[in-house]
Amino acid sequence: MALPEKEDIVNFIRYFGEPITKREIARGFAIKGDDRHALKTILRELLKNGTIIKLAGQRYALPSVLPTITAIEITQLDIDGNLFAAPTEWDTELQGPVPLIEIKPDKKTLPALKEHDRVLARLRRVTETLYEARVIRRLETPKDKVLGIITKKKGTFFLKPAKKKARDDFEIAQKNINGAQDGDIALAEIQPSRGERHKKVRIIQIIGHADDPKAISLIALHEASLRSVFPEKVLEETEKMTVPKLGKREDLRSIPLVTIDGADARDFDDAVFAEKDTDPSNKDGYHMIVAIADVAWYVRQNTMLNEEAYQRGNSTYFPDRVLPMLPEKLSNDLCSLRPKENRACMAVHMWIDDKGKLLRYKFVRGLMRSAARLTYEQVQAAKDGIRDDTTDALMDSVIDPLYEAYAILDEARRKRSALELDLPERQIIINDEGRMTGVKKRLRLDSHKLIEEFMILANVAAALALEKRKAPCMYRVHERPSADRLDNARGFVESFGLSLPKGQVTQPEQINMILEKAAKLPYSHLISEVILRTQAQAVYTPENLGHFGLALKRYAHFTSPIRRYADLLVHRSLIRAYDLGEGGLEDQEAVTLEDMAHHISTTERASAEAERNAIDRFTASYLSTQIDAEFQGRINGVTRFGLFVTLEESGADGLIPIRTLPKDFYVHNEQQHALIGRQHKRIYRLGAEVTIRIKEADPITGSTIFSLIGDESADIPGFKIKGSPFPSRNTAGKHKKSKKFYKKKKKTS
C-alpha cells in the first residue's frame, strides 16, 4: 500500500479527535514493515514545520488554535510595562505548551490592568505559540484559588487545603472534578456559595500526587506562584550559546583561581585567588581576585531569557530540588566555572593593606580557567593538615595565601563590629528517594567564612566603583533596628543582667558587646534569637542606606548573578560605567531601578517563604512516622495561643496549643516572652527546656502539634523578672475581658 500524503495524516489526526500515537497512525493506514521508517520521517517533517505537535506519551496532535474572541488572564507585566497573558482554559496534556499572548497597547485599558485580571480579547495569531491581543472588555475578577489534596469520602470528592490556617475542606461536584483522583494535588477555583454545608470548588489544574516524593516542593512552589518550567522560547534562546573568544577580555587562564562550594553544589559561579602584594609600599598587604560568571554576556536585554530571569528574580532552594533563575544550559554549564574549562567572567582585582583596608580595585571582563573545584570540608581539612592529591598541589600557591588574606579580613570585620549572631543553621537530610531521613547541624568552618569575606569585599568594591562613576547601583541595604523593636527586647535582655542602649542611635558595636557577654551564658543562642527579631529585613534599593548588620556604609550584591537578578543589574551597570563591552545597563533599566528593586525584593521574600514552608512540610512528613514519641525540646516562640517548640534532636518545630497546657488562665507577657498562669503561677518562657509528645504531623499543611509532658513550669534558671509578671489591668480597658473571665472562674471553681 502507498504511503499516505502529509495532508492525509493531518486529517486523520483531526478526525481521530484526541492525541494519537505513531502505532495508531500506522494501524489506521495499514503501514507495516520498512514503511514505518518512512512514516517516522513524515511525522518528523510535520513536527519541524509546526503542522503537528508532540505531547507526553509519544502522542501526536494538531496545535490548538485559539478562537478569535477568547477570555484570557494577565500572567505577567515585564520591565518595560508590557502585558502578557494566557488563555483561561487550557489543557497542556491535550493541547501542548500554553501559547503566549501579548496585549497590544491601549491607553484606556492597559494602565488599569494588572496580573491575574481577566479580559475578553480579540486575538491575532502571529506564530504557532504567539498571539497578539486587543482588549474588548474586562471580565469578572477571577475566583479565589485554593491548593490542596483530593480525598474521597463515602463516594464524594473533597479538597483538603494545603495551608496551615485553613479550617474546612471543600466539596467537589462530579462535573468539576476534571479528571482528578483521590490523592492528587490540585489547584481549584472556589465556586459561589449558596448556603451549602460545604463550600465547593472546581479543579483547574492537577499538579502531582501525594505519593510523589517531590510533592512537598511542588506544593510549596505552586503555593507561592513560583515559575517551575522555562518556556520553550526561552530554552531555544540558550541553545546556540557558547563560551566567547578571548578578544578584548583579560586573560586570567594562567592564574590558579579555584571554586570552593558545598559538596552537593551543581553550579560554581565564583572563584577566588590571593597572593602577597609585590608593591613595596604595601608591606604585608595582599592582592586578591574574585571572578564571577559573566551572566550579562549571555542574558541580554530585550530577550525572553532576560524577561524570564527578571520575573523569577532569584533562584529558590528546596531540600530536594533547586528552582533556578536561569535555564540549565547557563546555570549548570556556561555560567558554571567548571575546572579545566574556559569560562567568561567578570572579575575584580582588589588590593588590601595589612589592616584589611581596601586600597584600590579594578573591574575587568575576563576569560578564566578554574584550577580546581574544591569543597569547604576539603579545603578546611587541608588547612588542618589532612591533604589529598588535589589540595596538596595547591597548598603553597593557593590555599595558604587565601587563609592569610582571610585572617586580615576577619580581623577587620571584628574591628568594624559586624553583627555576630549565634544562630546555628540546620540542614535537612534527603535520601535517594527524595524523602527526609533526618536533620543535622550545618558545620560553619573557617573555609565558609573565608569565601564569605572575599564575597563581601567584592560587593563593597562594586558599590564603590559605581559610586565613583556616578552610575546607577542596586544596593543591598539593611537599616538599623527601630526603637520600638529594641524596646520590646530590652526587658528580656535586662533579665539576664545585660542592657540594650536606650534613648540613642544604636550602633552594631553596642549590640555586639551584648552578644559577647551573652556568649558566656548557657542561653547565648536565645539572646541572639531575640536580637535577630529586632532587626529590619534587608532589601534592594537604588538609594544607599547602608548595611547595619555588616557595619558597612555601602554594599551591593555583585557575586551571584547566576541566582540573583540584582547582581546581574550591578554587572550591567559596571559594564556600562567602565566601558567593558556588550551587555551594559540600558537607559530604560536605569530609570526603572526603583520599580525593579521592589519587584526583586518581593520575589526574594516569596522564595524565602516557599523554602520555609517546604522545610515545615518535609519535617512534618518525617515526624508523621513518630506519633506519640517523646522528645526533648526548647521553647522558641511564645504567643497568646500557645508555645512553639524546637526539638533538640532534629531541629523540627511544632505548636503546643494553649488549651492543652495544665489548667489555668494564662496571660501572655510580651516583654518577658512568657505565658504565665494567674492562679498557679506556672511560667512557660522563651528558651526554656521542655519534654513533649508528638500528637499530629500533617505533611500536606506542614503543621505539627505537640503536647507537653508534665505540669511543672518551664522557666530559665537565673532569669530575674522586674516588676509584676502580669500586665496592668487598667491599661485603657485592654484587660477588662481577662479580669471578668478570671472572676467568673473564681466563682465557679
Side-chain angles (χ1 to χ4, degrees), residues 637-662:
V638 180
T639 70
R640 57 183 177 78
F641 53 82
L643 308 169
F644 286 98
V645 173
T646 299
L647 304 187
E648 296 289 350
E649 180 183 318
S650 64
D653 292 321
L655 173 69
I656 300 176
I658 194 169
R659 67 177 184 277
T660 66
L661 293 176

Side-chain angles (χ1 to χ4, degrees), residues 723-743:
S724 170
F726 302 110
S728 170
R729 296 183 186 178
N730 299 321
T731 308
K734 187 178 178 181
H735 299 286
K736 284 181 181 177
K737 185 177 178 182
S738 60
K739 185 175 181 181
K740 194 174 179 182
F741 180 88
Y742 182 62
K743 281 184 176 179

Side-chain angles (χ1 to χ4, degrees), residues 177-301:
I177 198 70
N178 290 334
Q181 299 177 357
D182 191 16
D184 281 345
I185 299 164
L187 187 65
E189 277 185 342
I190 299 175
Q191 302 298 292
S193 176
R194 297 183 180 84
E196 296 97 333
R197 181 182 173 189
H198 293 283
K199 286 186 177 180
K200 295 189 176 181
V201 293
R202 180 176 71 88
I203 302 302
I204 57 174
Q205 184 183 0
I206 299 169
I207 291 165
H209 195 276
D211 291 338
D212 184 351
K214 294 181 179 179
I216 288 174
S217 48
L218 275 172
I219 291 172
L221 69 89
H222 277 277
E223 191 175 52
S225 299
L226 301 180
R227 304 160 80 87
S228 58
V229 179
F230 285 98
E232 283 298 322
K233 295 291 183 184
V234 171
L235 298 177
E236 286 172 11
E237 287 182 352
T238 69
E239 285 178 1
K240 296 181 180 179
M241 289 181 175
T242 57
V243 177
K245 303 292 184 184
L246 179 62
K248 295 181 180 179
R249 291 175 178 270
E250 182 171 311
D251 194 345
L252 302 172
R253 288 175 291 182
S254 62
I255 297 174
L257 286 150
V258 296
T259 61
I260 306 175
D261 296 276
D264 56 351
R266 294 176 62 194
D267 51 78
F268 322 114
D269 60 345
D270 55 75
V272 292
F273 171 77
E275 63 181 354
K276 287 188 176 179
D277 192 356
T278 55
D279 186 343
S281 66
N282 187 27
K283 187 182 178 183
D284 298 327
Y286 276 79
H287 165 226
M288 304 159 56
I289 301 175
V290 171
I292 307 298
D294 189 358
V295 175
W297 176 260
Y298 301 103
V299 184
R300 300 293 181 90
Q301 300 90 329

Side-chain angles (χ1 to χ4, degrees), residues 224-400:
S225 299
L226 301 180
R227 304 160 80 87
S228 58
V229 179
F230 285 98
E232 283 298 322
K233 295 291 183 184
V234 171
L235 298 177
E236 286 172 11
E237 287 182 352
T238 69
E239 285 178 1
K240 296 181 180 179
M241 289 181 175
T242 57
V243 177
K245 303 292 184 184
L246 179 62
K248 295 181 180 179
R249 291 175 178 270
E250 182 171 311
D251 194 345
L252 302 172
R253 288 175 291 182
S254 62
I255 297 174
L257 286 150
V258 296
T259 61
I260 306 175
D261 296 276
D264 56 351
R266 294 176 62 194
D267 51 78
F268 322 114
D269 60 345
D270 55 75
V272 292
F273 171 77
E275 63 181 354
K276 287 188 176 179
D277 192 356
T278 55
D279 186 343
S281 66
N282 187 27
K283 187 182 178 183
D284 298 327
Y286 276 79
H287 165 226
M288 304 159 56
I289 301 175
V290 171
I292 307 298
D294 189 358
V295 175
W297 176 260
Y298 301 103
V299 184
R300 300 293 181 90
Q301 300 90 329
N302 305 314
T303 63
M304 293 188 71
L305 174 60
N306 178 60
E307 182 58 36
E308 183 69 19
Y310 174 72
Q311 291 300 330
R312 290 176 179 239
N314 48 262
S315 296
T316 306
Y317 296 85
F318 297 118
D320 63 335
R321 67 161 70 185
V322 176
L323 212 59
M325 185 180 82
L326 301 175
E328 191 171 349
K329 177 69 181 283
L330 296 180
S331 60
N332 290 346
D333 184 4
L334 296 176
C335 293
S336 184
L337 308 180
R338 300 195 297 220
K340 315 301 182 186
E341 295 183 27
N342 287 353
R343 286 293 181 265
C345 67
M346 281 280 291
V348 55
H349 294 266
M350 298 175 288
W351 289 265
I352 60 170
D353 64 14
D354 61 347
K355 303 299 181 189
K357 181 181 178 182
L358 182 60
L359 301 177
R360 66 185 190 279
Y361 50 81
K362 179 186 176 185
F363 283 88
V364 300
R365 224 166 182 177
L367 192 67
M368 63 161 286
R369 192 176 176 87
S370 170
R373 177 270 199 267
L374 306 175
T375 69
Y376 292 116
E377 294 78 9
Q378 182 184 21
V379 171
Q380 190 61 51
K383 183 61 180 171
D384 295 339
I386 306 170
R387 304 174 187 175
D388 56 29
D389 291 343
T390 303
T391 54
D392 191 50
L394 296 169
M395 206 65 213
D396 295 336
S397 60
V398 177
I399 296 175
D400 278 340

Side-chain angles (χ1 to χ4, degrees), residues 488-500 513-531 634-635 670-674 683-689 714-722:
N488 288 336
R490 185 171 288 106
F492 184 79
V493 171
E494 287 177 349
S495 300
F496 288 95
L498 306 171
S499 60
L500 275 170
M513 284 177 63
I514 296 168
L515 295 172
E516 192 176 331
K517 292 177 182 176
K520 300 171 185 176
L521 301 172
Y523 300 101
S524 62
H525 66 284
L526 176 61
I527 294 169
S528 288
E529 182 69 41
V530 171
I531 294 294
R634 193 181 294 275
I635 298 172
E670 290 185 45
Q671 268 202 326
Q672 304 296 336
H673 296 270
I683 298 174
Y684 299 101
R685 196 184 310 281
L686 182 71
E689 295 178 354
D715 206 354
I716 299 174
F719 192 99
K720 299 172 185 175
I721 298 175
K722 291 187 177 182

Side-chain angles (χ1 to χ4, degrees), residues 90 107 113 133 150 210 249 332 351 357-358 385 434 439 448 533 548 583 625 691:
W90 190 267
K107 292 180 181 179
L113 291 177
I150 293 173
R249 291 175 178 270
N332 290 346
W351 289 265
K357 181 181 178 182
L358 182 60
V439 176
H448 289 94
R533 294 177 189 185
F548 179 82
T625 63
T691 304

